Amino acid sequence: MDSSVCALELLGVFFSAGAWICSLATTLMSTWLTLSTELLPTESYELGLWETCVVQDLGGLECRPYDSLLGLPPDIKLARILMCVTLGAGMLGLLLAIPGIHLVNSCHGRLDDLRCKRALKMAGGVLCLVAGILGLIPVSYIAHLTVVRFFDESVPDVVPRWEFGDALFCGWTAGFLHLVAGTLLLTSCLCLQKDSCDIPVPIPLVGAQPGLPFIRTRSEYV
């Protein structure tokens, strides 16, 4: 096994694990959007997928979960669903990619080992790409709505506007890491397939007897 293939596999698994942790943090964080007003400079507000929080300058934090699922805005509902699907796809991709790396002995036999590991890594890489795309959609969508509402001219200037929170940047990082992990895993599959094609397969000689030289017929030279 080429050392470059092993490096791609380990980097793919490492980035996949880091991306899943960032996705989990993004889903649980309450700082998707932040708001601060000039009327109450000592308090700021945070909006998350599961709760809203009030932060005071003295260090106090009070959070309140949403009362009803049906009363949520459509963008929060969409973000909840997509982030949960992202976590599921990312975890499944990571669980498939770990036994597919060369350092983990998960299959028996050389040919079966190569086919099995390539299939596991390919499935894990595809799931990582899917998780990256699904994770970037809600983060980018809420960011787009925030920009549109921030520059809405129909709203008076004295009305406070929501701004980007730390969770959005964490979500963008998670999506990018998922895409990088999927690309690395799929690249290692292509390199492994190329190496397996270069392995010479012995062809048995039919008709040769022990102790006698094998004689080619005339038709074999035509």
Side-chain angles (χ1 to χ4, degrees), residues 34-106:
T34 60
L35 184 145
S36 58
T37 61
E38 297 180 356
L39 297 177
L40 294 175
T42 60
E43 293 183 351
S44 61
Y45 302 90
E46 297 176 350
L47 177 66
L49 299 182
W50 312 97
E51 60 186 3
T52 56
C53 299
V54 179
V55 183
Q56 299 179 356
D57 289 345
L58 299 178
L61 177 64
E62 181 179 357
C63 296
R64 179 180 179 183
Y66 296 113
D67 297 332
S68 175
L69 178 63
L70 299 178
L72 291 176
D75 52 348
I76 300 297
K77 291 181 183 178
L78 178 64
R80 274 189 179 187
I81 295 173
L82 291 180
M83 290 306 299
C84 291
V85 176
T86 298
L87 290 175
M91 176 57 69
L92 183 59
L94 180 60
L95 293 178
L96 290 177
I98 290 177
I101 62 179
H102 179 67
L103 297 179
V104 178
N105 188 13
S106 58

